[in-house]
Amino acid sequence: MVRRWVLLPALVLGGLWWWAVLRLAFVPERSGLVEGAVAAGGWGLSLLPVHVAAARRRGPQS
């Protein structure tokens, strides 16, 4: 049940991001601020897990 609540918004937001990126790529003259913001925001979120990953703690040094 919980996976459905996570999967559905992820698919919707992913589809929205792809729509914005493809619109910017193929119809740049008709693209606007919304498409640019969605594409940049999605790209920025894609970098987040790399920089937020927990550091491994080292065991006690002998």
Side-chain angles (χ1 to χ4, degrees), residues 12 14 25 29 32 38 49 51 57-58 60-61:
V12 170
E29 65 275 357
V38 169
H51 298 289
R57 291 188 177 211
R58 294 184 179 166
Q61 299 279 333

Side-chain angles (χ1 to χ4, degrees), residues 13 17 20-21 24 33-49:
L13 291 174
W17 183 80
V21 168
L24 282 169
L33 183 64
V34 173
E35 288 89 350
V38 169
W43 179 78
L45 284 175
S46 73
L47 297 177
L48 188 63

Side-chain angles (χ1 to χ4, degrees), residues 6-39:
V6 173
L7 184 61
L8 185 62
L11 288 174
V12 170
L13 291 174
L16 183 65
W17 183 80
W18 274 109
W19 166 79
V21 168
L22 292 175
R23 188 166 163 98
L24 282 169
F26 293 117
V27 194
E29 65 275 357
R30 296 194 63 200
S31 300
L33 183 64
V34 173
E35 288 89 350
V38 169

